[in-house]
């Protein structure tokens, strides 16, 4: 191996290590994909992927965003969403998720909702549309 090739290999290795370490340095809870498990005319049962560190989980709270947040985002607030409940749960494989449920059947063909999560160091609001 030539000296130039060794140097390029070393630089690539250092860059790869630095990039691999980046996710461990970032600590911000996040929301992922929504998976609806219920049908039209049934109470809502859905799972919402969530990422959070152990520290973030200790203070994490999830809820439907306020009607004012809906208005600021230009999204119609549908009163049927007011009964949604959000609870943090864990699949058997350890993957965290938010269980989203309602006590009443939802008869809207599609709904837009804003989910808000807060924790000691931050806040996140994300829009979801589901059918």
């Amino acid at each position: 191996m030539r000296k130039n090739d060794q140097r390029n290999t070393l630089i690539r290795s250092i860059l790869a290590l630095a990039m691999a370490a980046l996710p461990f340095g970032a600590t911000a809870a996040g929301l992922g994909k929504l998976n609806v498990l219920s049908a039209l005319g049934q109470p809502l049962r859905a799972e919402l992927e969530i990422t959070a560190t152990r520290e973030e989980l200790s203070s994490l709270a999830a809820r439907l965003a306020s009607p004012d947040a809906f208005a600021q985002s230009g999204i119609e607030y549908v009163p049927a969403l007011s009964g949604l409940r959000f609870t943090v749960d864990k699949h058997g494989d350890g993957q965290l998720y938010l269980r989203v449920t309602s006590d009443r059947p939802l008869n809207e063909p599609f709904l837009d909702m804003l989910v808000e999560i807060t924790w000691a160091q931050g806040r996140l609001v994300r829009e979801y549309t589901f059918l």
Side-chain angles (χ1 to χ4, degrees), residues 27-45:
T27 58
L31 294 171
K33 186 177 83 169
L34 176 71
N35 184 24
V36 178
L37 306 170
S38 55
L40 185 64
Q42 295 180 336
L44 179 64
R45 288 183 315 112

Side-chain angles (χ1 to χ4, degrees), residues 2-127:
R2 287 190 269 164
K3 196 175 208 175
N4 211 15
D5 290 339
Q6 287 177 330
R7 189 178 71 184
N8 286 339
T9 301
L10 178 62
I11 290 171
R12 280 190 224 121
S13 297
I14 290 171
L15 286 173
L17 284 172
M19 289 174 62
L22 283 176
F24 298 110
T27 58
L31 294 171
K33 186 177 83 169
L34 176 71
N35 184 24
V36 178
L37 306 170
S38 55
L40 185 64
Q42 295 180 336
L44 179 64
R45 288 183 315 112
E47 296 179 353
L48 184 54
E49 293 175 353
I50 187 169
T51 56
T53 64
R54 191 171 298 176
E55 292 118 12
E56 291 166 341
L57 267 180
S58 68
S59 64
L60 190 108
R63 66 179 166 262
L64 187 69
S66 70
D68 287 340
F70 274 77
Q72 289 173 356
S73 297
I75 300 170
E76 180 184 357
Y77 179 81
V78 178
L81 295 174
S82 65
L84 294 184
R85 291 183 306 275
F86 297 83
T87 52
V88 177
D89 209 341
K90 192 184 288 191
H91 288 289
D93 63 0
Q95 178 65 42
L96 294 172
Y97 70 98
L98 284 177
R99 182 186 312 257
V100 185
T101 58
S102 70
D103 53 356
R104 298 179 294 209
L106 294 179
N107 294 309
E108 306 291 328
F110 75 93
L111 289 168
D112 290 319
M113 73 173 174
L114 282 178
V115 176
E116 177 181 352
I117 60 170
T118 56
W119 62 99
Q121 296 83 22
R123 174 179 176 264
L124 173 68
V125 177
R126 183 160 175 201
E127 177 185 356

